[in-house]
Amino acid sequence: MNRIRSLALLGAATLTATGLTALTAGTARAADVDVARNGGFESGLSNWSCTAGSGAAVAGPVFAGAGALKATPAGSDNARCSQTVTVKPNSTYTLSTQVQGSYVYLGASGTGTQDVSTWTPGSGGGWQKLSTTFTTGPSTTQVTVYTHGWYGQPAYHVDAFSVFGPDGGGGTDPGPSVPGAPSGLAVSGQSPNALTLSWNAVSGADGYYVHRDGARVATVSGTTATLGGLTPDTAYSFQVSAYNQAGEGPRSAPVPGRTTGGGGDPGNPAVPRHAVTGYWQNFNNGATVQKLSEVQAQYDIIAVSFADATATPGAIAFNLDSAGLGGYTVAQFKADIAAKKAAGKSVVLSIGGERGTITVNDAASANNLADSAYALMQEYGFNGIDIDLENGLNATYMTQALRSLSQKAGPSLVLTMAPQTIDMQSTSNAYFQTALNVKDILTVVNMQYYNSGSMLGCDGKVYSQGSVDFLTALACIQLEGGLAPSQVGLGVPASPSGAGSGYVSPAVVNNALDCLTRGTNCGSFKPSKTYPGLRGAMTWSTNWDAKAGNAWSNAVGPHVHNLP
């Protein structure tokens, strides 16, 4: 959650449609082979050379198999990793790989004709495929293929590197065998019209086929799939199989799944149908200093800001700023949490913020987050956690962490999120993916409609922050992108001092709530339907609200609680 900051956007993200695109496994010409060696990095860095010792073979994250390349630019070195492949003159080759990271390059030099390269400008929160082609000259028998990062950028990852074309006589890796059956198939998300499946990766797989009631219904490259267009309150049977160039492997054991009835309320049932969320500051930055007991009664969910990072990756701690809060003691703080809960409120611990440095990017850090968060819930009495990581997250491992925490805490867990507007522009974004992955245990996503500049609405038009249209057209992306109305809230500053930009008056917030739930008081954008189950609104912060005489909670709170 931003205290005060500015965010300059180079461009609005393009909204992509929700749903699965049927992908087909590429078929090479009969004579083509992969002339690259150790393209999956299963044999470490064998056949590869990386500048300045910048490369290392790692066990995660991987796209397929058990290994991948991690290369780290430093100083004037762009972490170039390459190998020389034997090729056939006057022949065309397809060069491709899967990458994670910003400004990752893929290319070929010494082709005898025109050298080629391609690159990705952003990480996209997961694996991305890079691909290009090159043609060899009349006397070319060897070509150098490579990948590299960019100066000043973090480490990048590479997997599934291949160079397909005519056999140049230099030999190839052994051909792939048919992959085994996927394990761990489970239904990880439910709604009236969709089910989300997840499973464990299979070594050597290029992709996966999803089968519903015996029929293939989707092809995906990752280990999750959301199947839409289903009937509410209906049982289905699912299986998954893996494929590669050698063919399709056996199907997994069947797993049942059932859509919800359409009238349910995802998330903790103790949270009111329409709720107000407020962030409470565990620090003094000029806003009114409050004890938790002094938080205004209109707030139904109180997010304590913030958890602290530890020396253990993924693990969090909480340190009450007793000195900054006028001698507020831990004992008083715990008693105030208990009193708020007795009054029907939920108190969650927020993880992240503008300066948050918690990173969850592997199984170990995911477990560390779940274990430490649950320990703090037990120690202080928190109802759950809030995810407010503003420097990106890994959807796979954050999902793992949240599901692990849910298993520990049970159905009473309150799970909230506060992404930035850019994080929820598309369902392909890692933050949006995470929300959809855990929507069966997710209470509410209170997106921050401030410090963001102009953004795309669900109608493809660009809207400027600070208006009813900005709130409604961007909320529409989440509402039509897979989240239940009860999982969508409008996050705004409590006063102009609460954010660098994007403040709107309480009247504008209430108009946006009316537009979305009743179809009234809209601006130029009017949704095609209403969402009477909309959860409500959020503000940064209860302290800035108090500084402004509680103007925000006094106006927005009653309005939220009187929504249909």
Side-chain angles (χ1 to χ4, degrees), residues 249-429:
R251 297 183 183 183
S252 66
V255 169
R258 190 180 192 93
T259 50
T260 59
D265 183 20
N268 189 302
V271 176
R273 170 179 170 84
H274 298 299
V276 180
T277 302
Y279 283 77
W280 174 81
Q281 298 177 184
N282 180 37
F283 50 86
N284 182 356
N285 67 344
T288 299
V289 172
Q290 290 182 314
K291 293 181 173 63
L292 207 63
S293 59
E294 298 168 335
V295 171
Q296 301 87 324
Q298 292 291 342
Y299 292 102
D300 305 292
I301 303 175
I302 304 167
V304 172
S305 311
F306 294 96
D308 298 304
T310 71
T312 303
I316 59 172
F318 178 72
N319 299 290
L320 185 68
D321 184 12
S322 296
L325 302 181
Y328 194 20
T329 67
V330 171
Q332 289 174 316
F333 178 70
K334 291 180 178 179
D336 287 347
I337 291 178
K340 284 293 184 182
K341 291 167 65 176
K345 311 299 183 180
S346 297
V347 183
V348 299
L349 178 60
S350 184
I351 300 171
E354 179 189 5
R355 303 175 186 176
T357 57
I358 293 93
T359 300
V360 178
N361 56 11
D362 56 25
S365 56
N367 289 333
N368 292 338
L369 175 59
D371 290 343
S372 59
Y374 184 59
L376 292 172
M377 289 174 61
Q378 292 180 303
E379 179 181 357
Y380 288 91
F382 296 119
N383 295 86
I385 62 172
D386 169 70
I387 303 300
D388 181 20
L389 296 172
E390 299 189 4
N391 298 312
L393 54 76
N394 182 300
T396 298
Y397 294 109
M398 182 54 71
T399 297
Q400 178 181 322
L402 297 178
R403 291 214 163 274
S404 178
L405 178 60
S406 175
Q407 291 173 358
K408 297 173 186 292
S412 63
L413 177 71
V414 176
L415 174 60
T416 67
M417 294 183 176
Q420 300 170 102
T421 51
I422 190 67
D423 295 323
M424 302 299 284
Q425 283 275 281
S426 166
T427 55
S428 64
N429 184 279

Side-chain angles (χ1 to χ4, degrees), residues 431-527:
Y431 226 122
F432 210 145
Q433 289 175 19
T434 302
L436 294 176
N437 288 348
V438 299
K439 67 176 295 183
D440 57 313
I441 59 173
L442 176 65
T443 306
V444 62
V445 174
N446 292 304
M447 189 174 77
Q448 303 174 40
Y449 292 79
Y450 49 95
N451 290 342
S452 68
S454 299
M455 286 286 159
L456 290 173
C458 67
D459 57 354
K461 296 180 180 178
V462 176
Y463 292 94
S464 299
Q465 66 180 3
S467 65
V468 170
D469 289 336
F470 187 75
L471 300 177
T472 55
L474 269 67
C476 174
I477 297 175
Q478 300 171 63
L479 292 163
E480 293 300 312
L483 293 181
S486 62
Q487 295 172 318
V488 176
L490 307 181
V492 296
S495 74
S497 300
S501 64
Y503 171 76
V504 292
S505 70
V508 171
V509 179
N510 290 343
N511 286 343
L513 293 169
D514 287 341
C515 179
L516 292 168
T517 59
R518 298 184 172 100
T520 61
N521 294 326
C522 299
S524 62
F525 172 81
K526 185 171 184 177

